[in-house]
Amino acid sequence: MIEPTVWDYRDNLDYDLPLNPGDPRLVPLNDARGDFSEHRILKALGMDPNSRELRKAPERLYVLFGGHRGCGKSTELRRLVSKLQGPKGYCVVFIDALSELDIHNLRYSDIILAQAKALVTTLQAADVTIEPVFVGRLNDWFKERIENHSQIRDLAVEIRAGAKAEAGLPWLARLFGELTNSVRLNSTYKEEVRNVVRNSFPELADGFNQLITRANELLRRHGVARGLLFVIDGTDRLSGEDQDRFFVQDIHQLKLIAASFVYCAPINLLTEQGQLQQNFAEVFRLPMVKSGEKGASAMNTKTRELLREFVFKRVPRACFEDLETVDYLIDHCGGHPRDLIRLLNYSFQDMPGERFDRGSAASAVGRLATDYKRLLEPDDYGLLALIDQAPPDYAPVTPQTRRLLYNLALLEYNSFWWRSHPVVRTLTGYREALAQLQGQP
Amino acid sequence: MQTAAARDTAHTAAGLLQESLPFQVPQAVHTQDFERLKRLIRRPGHFQLIIAQFNAPKYRDTIIAAANAAGRNPAAVWTLAEQPDLGVLQTGLAEYAATASALHLVGLDRWLAMEPNPILQGHPVQPSPILQRLNYRRESIAAATRFPLVLWLAPGQVRDLAEQAPDLWAWRDAVLDFTLAPAAPPEFDRQSSRERSPVDAATARDRLAQIDTYLLDAPAIGSTADLLLEAATIHDALSEFDAAHERAEQALERYRALDNPRGVAAALGVIADGLETQGRIGEALRIRTDEQIPVLLRLGDKRAEGKALNKLGKTYAALGEFEKATACHEQALTIARADGDHLGEANTLLAIGRLALRTDDHSTARDAYQQALSLFRADNARLGEANTLLAIGDLALRIDDLAAARDAYRQALPLFRAGNERLGEANTLQGQGLLNLMEGDAAAAFRNFIELPTTFQSIGDRLGVQAVFGNMARAAAALGQIDRALCLAGESLALGRAAEDRFGQTITLELLVKLLQDAGDAAGWLAALMLYRELLAGMGDRRTLAQTDALWQQVVQQLSAAELELLRTQAPAHLETALAAARERFGSGDPTRLD
């Protein structure tokens, strides 16, 4: 039998893939995140956390699930879905915006089309058949708004031709599949389809709502689920203006859809008080894995054990020169799971032999620090040093701190305290700023 | 001559009487009250309480200025500060007593409007603290104010004063009315502000058939309640109000049984919309204030609440209660802004502009429309942009800025067409026709209207057909073709009756009064006038009714009670005879086609 080498674990260093429930690499990190409680989310969604039964399905609910990019949101979301899904729970319509849509150019119209497509696909998979009368309104919307629209008539012809004699859900699956594709790809029709959706949105929403109401009734009748829930992952990747437009300005359109939704949101958006809190009934944060309280010199033992397990489930202990190398990488990840994998990956690229050694780990930390350096402005160092030195309740929400949170140079831990990323603290700019703050020459 | 006639046609809202008495200050309908005001404020030396009801601040100011210009000792005008302060009110009155011979107190209406509106707050009616205090302090106010005091109040506030400050009310020397009637062609306003229509009546009817078939043996569950409500909205868009009402009531019953408050509020909204479109404003108001808004308040759905407040504002405006209408829109605007809801804000600004247009406050209308246009454009909301451009065109038409009207309509038309919004397209073409009328080109106006009945029919909008027949009649009258105009107006009236649209019928009857006068048909004219007044009375539109009082008094003086009663019973037949005679004189041609 051939002994596995470090190369056999190369695929485990891919840091962009969320883990599905049941994946052997999965390590429950929630106990190390502080006050994050899965129970609270379940209860907000009407689920009894003990019996896993949907006791009281909300009529409509809009929930934000946020945290730093790479903190494990997508993995946690998938774990959550596995707990929500079932005959006594929800029929979950899951949309991964990263794969379904163009996340770098996303509008609410795109999400609605993707939601309609995903709902229809989910119903088909559950063998639920919807009567034609509940498809009719969406069909009329297509006839009146897409087929009669001079600039996208050709697209309508293509959709009709492809559909042949399809009706009911298969027809809707094709319709919304094609429309979603047209906005995902940079097709000729992209902007015009968006305009049509935006300008006829009340009609589309009414038709969609009718379908949702009937789907809910049939899911219950057939024992598939007691409620319907849309979970949208990937919307946390929206950048600057796009995220404000999506979560603040356009949320009123999204809320015309009469169902319950969980949307993934970026951490910097969660620091916005006021409008966001008004627009979403519940906001849940997934904090970083916490090494200890702010200012503590050593990492909490339990956290270190969990993060070691996290590493060893991807790369066995034998592939490391010593445990100190593993701990060195853990100490520099800031409790950020994706950065820990990234450090492993960088280290793998730099290591001279078959094992992760201290030299390659130091090199990895240097490279990650350089990644962050590219994102920082000269005056960011002073602010980061100031925040690090201040008591835990010092967390000034400004455009600058929002940017730093978004860029991950500043990390948020449970109970809402902030600290700079450990690799940022290795940068000269930071060290100088800290020295200046401490009054050193 | 033709131009003047055309302009009158396009401008007037109250119709015949305002056309025969051109706009002036005071308006003819207010002449008697204006004379009383002048007399009353010339009696210094003792306290007199004069209550003046108004709904347009600029008109109020002009009335005050005109009354002052007529006397040697002008009355003082005290405009109260923005924030209520009753202490200041009492000391201020004492100060004025030292110097003024009479005083117009301006701004109390604003203070009262700022008090929490019980209807909007979802609470039972609470007494106004300001009115209660005035009632309590009346003796000290009277002692300090030894001169005529004119309290300027909004119409609803006068009623509140009577009910909530009965002792002060008992001291009134006069209650004068300076409220303005809506100034726009009302059916055009109604058409322009309708929100949605089916693109194609045939598709809509197919959909209705599909729903009806399904509902034959469907259970009473949530999804079927939704279908009933959808059927109601389709019937409403097709101007089939009875069917719409019946379906909405059925939906309402199911939503109530299912304990679905959101559905209940939606069904109530559809019922109120239909009633309002038909001119049953009082019933619409009751449903919105007593039933729909309390449900929305309990739900806490701010967006739906804002939308309902805008509808309520429109209802109040239809009743001439402009202060309350303004309060509703302002509250909706506050909600939309607090919520960061740009489209809600833009739609509310559009509603504010439309209200301002009705009260002839053109600068407010212009500002509101410009803000709405910017928001819609920033959001790339083309239907909203097109609707705002249409509204800007209507405003420009009203203030005789014909070039601006033409430009706005020209921009709106392709936007409506690109979105296949046929209702908006038809309304824009109607606006362009009215523009032609104002430019004195009645033939071009008529040509503009010619295709519109077909367009409105194709989307099943019977009220649209009714309105456009009325406008064609106006164009024909401007061309001097009175019989053609009577034929067209007769068609318009028949459509209004078929749809049981009392509001639309009043507009057409008002037009018929003028046309039959021009035609020299005395019996027909009298019949139309009587039917017009009866309908206004039936609708409870006392303000418009009052505008015909002077004319009606002349009629009454010349007829005995028995003759009047006979006329009352025979009026429908007399009108039919007059219209038949006009059709006969016109001949066998098609009145909608110019030779």
Side-chain angles (χ1 to χ4, degrees), chain B residues 108-188:
Chain B
L108 188 61
D109 57 299
R110 205 174 49 235
W111 284 11
L112 291 169
M114 287 167 72
E115 290 189 313
N117 186 329
I119 291 169
L120 307 183
Q121 302 299 317
H123 303 308
V125 174
Q126 299 288 330
S128 151
I130 293 176
L131 292 179
Q132 281 189 313
R133 183 112 179 253
L134 284 176
N135 197 45
Y136 182 68
R137 299 269 178 192
R138 67 191 180 283
E139 293 194 357
S140 53
I141 291 172
T145 317
R146 300 208 160 276
F147 54 61
L149 173 67
V150 188
L151 282 187
W152 287 88
L153 296 173
Q157 294 168 349
V158 174
R159 191 178 56 224
D160 293 344
L161 179 74
E163 289 172 0
Q164 296 176 35
D167 304 311
L168 183 65
W169 172 255
W171 289 2
R172 72 194 181 279
D173 286 274
V175 181
L176 309 177
D177 183 9
F178 295 105
T179 52
L180 284 179
E187 79 281 39
F188 188 53

Side-chain angles (χ1 to χ4, degrees), chain B residues 119-120 182 190 193 195 268-290 292-293 306-329 351-352 354-355 358 503 539-541 543:
Chain B
I119 291 169
L120 307 183
R190 177 175 63 177
S193 60
E195 286 175 3
L268 288 167
V270 171
I271 291 169
D273 290 351
L275 291 170
E276 192 171 323
T277 309
Q278 286 181 282
R280 294 159 68 180
I281 313 293
E283 292 168 74
L285 179 67
R286 190 198 60 73
I287 288 172
R288 292 199 201 286
T289 54
D290 294 358
Q292 189 199 19
I293 290 186
K307 209 172 166 187
L309 281 168
N310 278 332
K311 291 266 179 91
L312 181 61
K314 203 171 153 222
T315 311
Y316 275 128
L319 286 169
E321 298 205 29
F322 299 129
E323 293 281 343
K324 283 186 178 169
T326 303
C328 288
H329 292 316
I352 287 171
R354 285 188 172 126
L355 175 65
R358 292 189 76 158
F503 180 76
M539 288 169 60
D541 187 351
R543 193 188 57 249

Side-chain angles (χ1 to χ4, degrees), chain A residues 133 195 199 210 217 252, chain B residues 207 223 230 262 339 380 382:
Chain A
V133 73
N195 282 333
N199 285 298
Q210 235 172 41
E217 289 169 353
H252 307 284
Chain B
R207 178 67 180 151
S223 57
E230 185 194 350
R262 207 177 292 275
D339 227 19
N380 206 12
R382 291 184 194 169

Side-chain angles (χ1 to χ4, degrees), chain B residues 39-247:
Chain B
R39 278 198 306 275
L40 287 163
I41 59 174
R42 276 184 217 143
R43 289 187 208 156
H46 66 280
F47 176 68
Q48 284 186 90
L49 180 63
I50 302 151
I51 295 155
Q53 171 174 291
F54 78 106
N55 57 2
K58 285 191 177 173
Y59 186 63
R60 172 200 61 203
D61 296 345
T62 322
I63 288 283
I64 293 172
N68 276 345
R72 267 177 289 180
N73 292 322
V77 180
W78 181 17
T79 303
L80 295 171
E82 293 283 328
Q83 293 302 318
D85 184 344
L86 286 174
V88 165
L89 181 62
Q90 205 162 338
T91 52
L93 286 174
E95 284 169 20
Y96 274 103
T99 53
S101 60
L103 179 68
H104 290 278
L105 190 64
V106 171
L108 188 61
D109 57 299
R110 205 174 49 235
W111 284 11
L112 291 169
M114 287 167 72
E115 290 189 313
N117 186 329
I119 291 169
L120 307 183
Q121 302 299 317
H123 303 308
V125 174
Q126 299 288 330
S128 151
I130 293 176
L131 292 179
Q132 281 189 313
R133 183 112 179 253
L134 284 176
N135 197 45
Y136 182 68
R137 299 269 178 192
R138 67 191 180 283
E139 293 194 357
S140 53
I141 291 172
T145 317
R146 300 208 160 276
F147 54 61
L149 173 67
V150 188
L151 282 187
W152 287 88
L153 296 173
Q157 294 168 349
V158 174
R159 191 178 56 224
D160 293 344
L161 179 74
E163 289 172 0
Q164 296 176 35
D167 304 311
L168 183 65
W169 172 255
W171 289 2
R172 72 194 181 279
D173 286 274
V175 181
L176 309 177
D177 183 9
F178 295 105
T179 52
L180 284 179
E187 79 281 39
F188 188 53
D189 275 356
R190 177 175 63 177
Q191 280 304 112
S192 296
S193 60
R194 289 186 78 182
E195 286 175 3
R196 285 160 73 179
S197 72
V199 171
D200 175 58
T203 306
R205 293 204 181 285
D206 287 348
R207 178 67 180 151
L208 277 177
Q210 188 184 32
I211 292 172
D212 287 345
T213 307
Y214 180 80
L215 289 175
L216 282 176
D217 53 4
I221 51 177
S223 57
T224 53
D226 291 349
L227 290 175
L228 283 166
L229 193 61
E230 185 194 350
T233 56
I234 296 174
H235 280 302
D236 186 75
L238 295 172
S239 315
E240 295 166 359
F241 300 114
D242 285 347
H245 193 88
E246 188 187 335
R247 287 307 205 192

Side-chain angles (χ1 to χ4, degrees), chain A residues 375-394:
Chain A
L375 304 174
L376 294 170
E377 303 290 339
D379 62 344
D380 289 340
Y381 295 111
L383 177 62
L384 289 168
L386 182 67
I387 290 170
D388 287 346
Q389 295 299 301
D393 59 357
Y394 184 69

